[in-house]
Amino acid sequence: MEPRRASARPLVTLAIAAALASPAHALDLVDVWRAAATHDADFAAARAAHAAGIARRTQAGTLWRPGLTLEAGAGLATNDTAARGAQFSAPGFGQTAGVAFDTSINNGTSSRIVLALRQPLLSREREVQQRQLELAAEIAEVQWQDAQQALMRRAAERYFDTVLADEQLRVLERQQAAVDRARTEAQDRFRIGDRPVTDIHEASARAAGLTAQRLAAQTELALKRAALADLSGLAVEAARMPLPRPARSSATPSGPLESWLDEAARGNPGLRLAELQVRSAEQDARKTSAALSPTVDVVAQIGRERLSGNGDFGHASNTASNRAIGVQMSVPLYTGGLRSARQTEALALIDKAGAELESMRRQAALQTRGAWLELSVGLGRSEALEAALTASRARLDATRVGLRAGDRTTLDLLNAENDAAAAELALMQARAHLLLDELRLAALAGRLDEARLQHVNAALQPLP
């Protein structure tokens, strides 16, 4: 199944590219996430690391299977033997004592072949290694989940960064157009003596300041679009991206703080990784926890060795064949203090991993509490900013009427324009932060997935 997914990935990328080929294509949060999942280099590295980690589970299953090895060799060898005081007996020859046997092969041809099978029965080291490989596979799963959540958060952050930068530029352009109209009106009314020259200077100064802000906003938008394009591989220059909806349409935390803290204690990826590190350190300590750690294997072997060539007494050859099967035990009696030193190191590493786990537990709880509180007050903050924007726009309309009636000055109008623009940007930022806080809280609890991303995507204004 995995090769099929791998081969389908380029098709997904081509489909996204084809869908975005129009000059002003629509692009939402889920589009960015799916494109980033196929384009981002860091995520590709995380996917490969996950595949490598899963392979460790297969490795763990092979540790107790029999191993079969074949050894073969050939070369040149010299062999000399001399036996004295031997006793010889054979049918028809009787028995003779004090016999000498001499053999000699100089630079003869040597060959050796051995087929050996070893089946482990008992080994503390293999037990620990198996468990550590299984833990490594679990760690890879948690790291893969964390990488997915991290990419979703990065995609959302860069998406909203781009949306807010685009909205800031749009508001500044609209504000500058209003200031330009106010300056033109001040110039016209100055000519007829209805406005002082200070109105022209104030409008010109405000227009120049807005020009500088607009140029800075254009640069920021270009950088945000480049960052989003680097992450997703999409063409975002002409993309139409939905804005966050009013605050009452946004999500709020479901459930009390205590339930989210419990979720984080069970599902936080960083906390789960720390717990697995403690278990891995404990397995290391098991290797040297016993004074004697014997290994027991079933060993079977078939071998043949042959040496032939010319020697001091003419042509000669030696051939030896062997077959054996049995149980072999190995017990380390003394290692020069290495075992005890490793045990001391392993126990210290357990303490270190335990302290890091406790630190991570406190950090996860604090971050979860902060995200929950941010999300809880975010709705009220957004609603307050909506009210502030409504009031700012009403003040702007009243100031325009007052300027025409002579009750307000051009400076009053410029200040009202600036306050209304600031209120609009503050509201848009609050809405985006509210949605990002929802993703952050879900990630801290280990519950951020595409379904959650779809839920946040539904809180965006539909495009026309």
Side-chain angles (χ1 to χ4, degrees), residues 278 281-286 345-355:
V278 171
E282 291 172 346
Q283 291 300 318
D284 269 332
R286 285 192 63 227
E345 178 190 15
L347 294 176
L349 290 177
I350 290 178
D351 293 338
K352 175 178 178 291

Side-chain angles (χ1 to χ4, degrees), residues 45-169:
R47 183 185 293 110
H50 175 246
I54 296 305
R56 295 189 179 99
R57 198 181 302 276
T58 303
Q59 296 176 33
T62 65
L63 289 177
W64 294 99
R65 296 174 186 170
L68 187 63
T69 60
L70 176 65
E71 296 181 8
L76 299 178
T78 296
N79 178 266
D80 294 305
T81 62
R84 299 292 183 268
Q87 181 174 289
F88 174 79
S89 64
F93 291 92
Q95 181 173 312
T96 305
V99 177
F101 290 97
D102 295 319
T103 62
S104 175
I105 300 176
N106 300 323
N107 296 324
T109 301
S110 172
S111 61
R112 178 177 180 271
I113 183 168
V114 178
L115 180 65
L117 180 142
R118 181 180 294 269
Q119 170 64 58
L121 298 179
L122 175 64
S123 173
R124 179 184 294 272
E125 186 173 352
R126 283 179 183 268
E127 290 176 2
V128 171
Q129 188 178 2
Q130 179 185 20
R131 185 56 186 144
Q132 286 183 320
L133 286 171
E134 292 170 349
L135 288 173
E138 293 183 46
I139 289 174
E141 288 285 2
V142 176
Q143 289 174 333
W144 174 238
Q145 180 196 11
D146 192 37
Q148 289 176 305
Q149 292 193 153
L151 182 62
M152 288 182 186
R153 288 187 60 185
R154 277 195 295 146
E157 288 169 357
R158 294 194 183 183
Y159 176 88
F160 285 120
D161 283 347
T162 305
V163 166
L164 292 176
D166 191 27
E167 182 67 7
Q168 181 182 18
L169 179 60

Side-chain angles (χ1 to χ4, degrees), residues 1-14:
M1 296 299 294
E2 185 62 28
R4 179 176 297 179
R5 288 199 300 269
S7 61
R9 193 173 294 123
L11 298 179
V12 173
T13 305
L14 290 175

